[in-house]
Amino acid sequence: MSTTTLSHGQSQAVSCTITSLHLPHAPIFADRAHRCQVLAKDNPFARQLTFCAALAKQQDLEFQQFPSLPLPDEPLLQHCQKYEIPPLSPAGWPPHPHWQELVHRLIRATAPELSQKDQQALQRCPTTDISWLDLQKSHLLGGNRQLLEPMIIPIISGALQVQWSSLAARLSMQGLRSASQHSRCPVCGSLPVAATCGLTETTTHSRDLHCSLCNSVWKIDANTCSTCGSNEGLDTQNSCEHLPHVQAEICHYCRSYLKRINNDLAVEAEPVADDLASMELDRRMLAKGLSRSGVNLLLLPQV
């Protein structure tokens, strides 16, 4: 296990607000599917990774042919820009019913990768009931995962990711503005799944946060906690011998952590896939009494 402390002085001249933003692009889901397949070999979480590979492969197909659904109009975008509101926040821009069609196609694509027990649990879900699906979606977006049917979480999440990523990819950068809540995606307001960094970048004073819902990427000061905004310094710890490029950023002020992926050590890393492959690190952090600040919406229940 390695431990590093980032000093406060490293970020003195850098603002902790967002300085740049990257909207999702076409290969996202295809890259995720490939990375999951690679990581599944000899990995203790191969079940999660194999499932995610099948899911991401179907997500890629859906993303490529996704219809051009309505986007926020100019007055709404200007309002969001003025008040620093994410324009695709689910609270203000609810999902189009098209996502429910995706759920059934994702189920067909991923069911063969599930155990018999998991398949039976999924079959018991009333997925043909539109009102039930809508309620599950509301619980998911509202952060009430304890009210969700566990087996349906990654399926609904996968459908919503496709829709939000497709919408985000069509936004104009001119209509977006740095968000005041740097821990939240400036496009849809969701939590990040993980952070990435690279020591060979032009600046080492920032890291990228990857949205768990719309797959947008935004920068944040390398020494600032993405949860509470404290800049007192972050410790980084690694407990995965087979994945040395994945670390946990620990804020001792709010007792939270976020995964950090070093792309210099693994240029092929993909945040969602490498997060799933390093769940042993989550177990170790939780054993220390730390709470995870990010979220991976594609996690299967531990049944």
Side-chain angles (χ1 to χ4, degrees):
M1 179 179 72
S2 60
T3 303
T4 307
T5 301
L6 304 178
S7 66
H8 174 68
Q10 285 182 296
S11 59
Q12 286 284 336
V14 183
S15 170
C16 65
T17 56
I18 299 166
T19 57
S20 65
L21 172 70
H22 299 283
L23 298 177
H25 51 89
I28 287 175
F29 296 112
D31 291 347
R32 184 172 301 164
H34 175 71
R35 181 60 173 167
C36 284
Q37 290 174 328
V38 171
L39 290 172
K41 301 174 183 178
D42 302 321
N43 190 286
F45 304 105
R47 168 178 170 266
Q48 298 272 357
L49 291 162
T50 302
F51 169 83
C52 186
L55 182 69
K57 184 176 181 180
Q58 185 63 34
Q59 285 179 298
D60 179 56
L61 295 175
E62 300 292 346
F63 184 79
Q64 293 184 46
Q65 58 190 16
F66 200 81
S68 296
L69 298 179
L71 286 170
D73 58 21
E74 190 60 29
L76 178 56
L77 287 174
Q78 291 179 0
H79 173 82
C80 291
Q81 186 178 36
K82 179 179 180 180
Y83 294 101
E84 299 186 350
I85 301 171
L88 294 181
S89 170
W93 195 255
H96 189 279
H98 183 272
W99 72 270
Q100 296 173 348
E101 300 176 23
L102 270 61
V103 165
H104 301 290
R105 292 197 287 272
L106 292 177
I107 288 176
R108 289 195 293 271
T110 57
E113 304 301 334
L114 296 173
S115 66
Q116 184 176 3
K117 183 178 180 180
D118 287 346
Q119 289 186 32
Q120 292 173 347
L122 188 56
Q123 289 171 359
R124 289 193 293 270
C125 296
T127 54
T128 58
D129 185 340
I130 295 177
S131 60
W132 182 84
L133 276 179
D134 196 60
L135 182 60
Q136 293 289 301
K137 174 265 300 178
S138 297
H139 288 326
L140 176 67
L141 295 178
N144 302 316
R145 291 171 70 96
Q146 69 277 8
L147 300 178
L148 285 161
E149 174 59 42
M151 281 307 304
I152 203 64
I153 293 178
I155 302 296
I156 290 180
S157 298
L160 295 176
Q161 283 180 341
V162 171
Q163 183 166 130
W164 253 278
S165 298
S166 300
L167 293 172
R170 293 169 48 220
L171 284 177
S172 169
M173 291 292 291
Q174 295 180 347
L176 299 172
R177 183 178 176 181
S178 297
S180 57
Q181 291 181 291
H182 52 267
S183 64
R184 297 275 181 167
C185 174
V187 176
C188 71
S190 299
L191 290 170
V193 62
T196 57
C197 68
L199 298 178
T200 57
E201 295 178 348
T202 55
T203 174
T204 59
H205 295 302
S206 66
R207 65 200 194 278
D208 291 331
L209 298 184
H210 295 253
C211 181
S212 58
L213 180 61
C214 76
N215 286 294
S216 295
V217 181
W218 69 102
K219 287 191 180 295
I220 186 175
D221 176 4
N223 199 44
T224 298
C225 174
S226 62
T227 302
C228 68
S230 170
N231 60 359
E232 294 302 313
L234 299 171
D235 286 344
T236 59
Q237 294 187 13
N238 176 275
S239 299
C240 297
E241 295 181 0
H242 61 295
L243 296 171
H245 63 286
V246 182
Q247 297 178 312
E249 301 176 345
I250 301 173
C251 176
H252 295 291
Y253 186 81
C254 68
R255 299 290 294 168
S256 71
Y257 76 95
L258 181 70
K259 295 277 188 71
R260 176 188 294 187
I261 299 170
N262 189 324
N263 291 123
D264 281 350
L265 299 180
V267 67
E268 71 282 4
E270 195 282 326
V272 171
D274 286 69
D275 173 65
L276 291 171
S278 59
M279 284 189 287
E280 180 59 34
L281 183 56
D282 291 291
R283 293 177 178 177
R284 293 178 182 270
M285 294 301 103
L286 293 175
K288 295 176 180 289
L290 300 169
S291 61
R292 175 170 173 157
S293 59
V295 60
N296 192 326
L297 298 175
L298 302 186
L299 275 173
L300 279 170
Q302 299 297 314
V303 297

